[in-house]
Amino acid sequence: MRANRLLAVTVLSALGVTGLAACGSDGTKKGDAAPTAATTAAASAAASKSAAGGGLEALSVEQILDRMRAANAKLKSVKADFQVQDSDGDISGDVASDSEGNCAGTIAIKDKGKAEILRTGGKVWLKPDADFIKVVVPGANTSVANLIAGKWLTSSKTGDLADGFGEFCDMSLQLLKKAGLNDDGTPENDGTKGGTKQVGGVEAVVLRVKSKESGDPLEVAIANEGEAHLLSMVSGETGSMQFSDFDAPVRAAVPAADQIVDLDALKTAAG
């Protein structure tokens, strides 16, 4: 498996999302039915309530997604925890990223180890265990792997880490910024409501939509307390992603110099 396969493209492809494309559960008209006078009045009352948080369950799908887009657009940082099933090995981890380009996360592949990831000041560092080194540097022999296990890898000449794991770093915040939008940036408002549930201790309104890539059903949960942030996505048995730490600081400090190994020098040593 190439290192670049461990990025946002792998996680998002497994989840079946790059945005929120919608579906109707009846296979005909998508979205909610035309509102009656009673439901319009209820939605109006709920809209006033939801301005301060809550009341989303009485709104239309379009109104719910409008509030989600507005809340997500203001975000400066977020953390995503994910689990996906992939043909190259089940992947799990987390990544916190902010609008300043800072990132801190972890990634693990079943039977292939795990690694920590940092990005700050435009530079990426990766701290793999002995097994994950074989993913990043397939030619590394046992002595080289043992030498650098637990060290922070960086790259001074190639773009492997910056281009590859940098994309992984951007995944959480960029996904929320694009949620509920078509590829051209216009709103995507189709979907059906599916009640409420708790996500990370927060009440959320559930919408059932459809992935653009596969057409498979996708369940999304939007906070019904405080800001209407996207809290989670669940793609059947394929994977899930949960969001938290909205606007919390991302702690990504440059590793100590004696803990850094240059990836290009490592590749040379590995042959």
Side-chain angles (χ1 to χ4, degrees):
M1 177 191 292
R2 295 180 55 208
N4 284 3
R5 281 279 287 133
L6 312 180
L7 314 176
V9 64
T10 299
V11 176
L12 296 181
S13 293
L15 285 170
V17 297
T18 54
L20 299 182
C23 67
S25 60
D26 59 2
T28 55
K29 187 179 183 298
K30 300 176 183 177
D32 292 335
T36 64
T39 56
T40 299
S44 177
S48 297
K49 180 182 177 182
S50 65
L56 296 184
E57 70 279 359
L59 301 182
S60 68
V61 169
E62 181 176 358
Q63 289 171 317
I64 294 170
L65 290 174
D66 277 344
R67 297 193 187 285
M68 181 198 71
R69 285 186 287 259
N72 290 347
K74 296 184 294 183
L75 280 174
K76 300 299 183 183
S77 66
V78 69
K79 178 185 177 184
D81 291 85
F82 58 87
Q83 293 183 333
V84 299
Q85 286 70 55
D86 184 70
S87 58
D88 284 326
D90 295 348
I91 303 173
S92 62
D94 61 84
V95 57
S97 56
D98 65 23
S99 56
E100 301 299 317
N102 297 305
C103 156
T106 63
I107 188 167
I109 307 174
K110 184 177 180 180
D111 300 325
K112 295 182 181 178
K114 60 184 178 179
E116 297 177 54
I117 301 167
L118 287 176
R119 183 177 67 186
T120 189
K123 196 171 184 67
V124 176
W125 291 267
L126 180 76
K127 186 164 118 175
D129 63 14
D131 289 330
F132 204 90
I133 288 171
K134 300 170 186 176
V135 175
V136 181
V137 188
N141 58 37
T142 301
S143 61
V144 171
N146 290 337
L147 177 66
I148 64 174
K151 300 283 189 178
W152 288 98
L153 303 183
T154 191
S155 178
S156 59
K157 298 178 182 179
T158 70
D160 286 0
L161 290 181
D163 294 342
F165 289 98
E167 184 179 353
F168 173 85
C169 273
D170 293 328
M171 176 178 65
S172 57
L173 190 58
Q174 286 193 3
L175 193 153
L176 288 196
K177 297 289 187 180
K178 294 178 180 179
L181 298 174
N182 292 307
D183 292 339
D184 61 4
T186 58
E188 171 57 87
N189 293 318
D190 290 340
T192 57
K193 293 193 290 184
T196 62
K197 72 175 185 177
Q198 292 283 315
V199 178
V202 177
E203 182 184 84
V205 171
V206 173
L207 297 183
R208 305 194 188 285
V209 298
K210 185 179 293 183
S211 77
K212 291 181 179 179
E213 289 78 7
S214 66
D216 293 335
L218 182 70
E219 178 190 281
V220 300
I222 300 168
N224 200 25
E225 301 175 22
E227 295 280 1
H229 295 132
L230 175 61
L231 294 182
S232 68
M233 301 184 301
V234 180
S235 181
E237 297 181 355
T238 304
S240 63
M241 184 176 289
Q242 185 169 322
F243 301 95
S244 62
D245 294 357
F246 301 102
D247 286 329
V250 175
R251 306 190 183 284
V254 176
D258 63 354
Q259 295 299 305
I260 297 174
V261 173
D262 187 272
L263 181 62
D264 302 294
L266 172 65
K267 287 183 175 180
T268 299

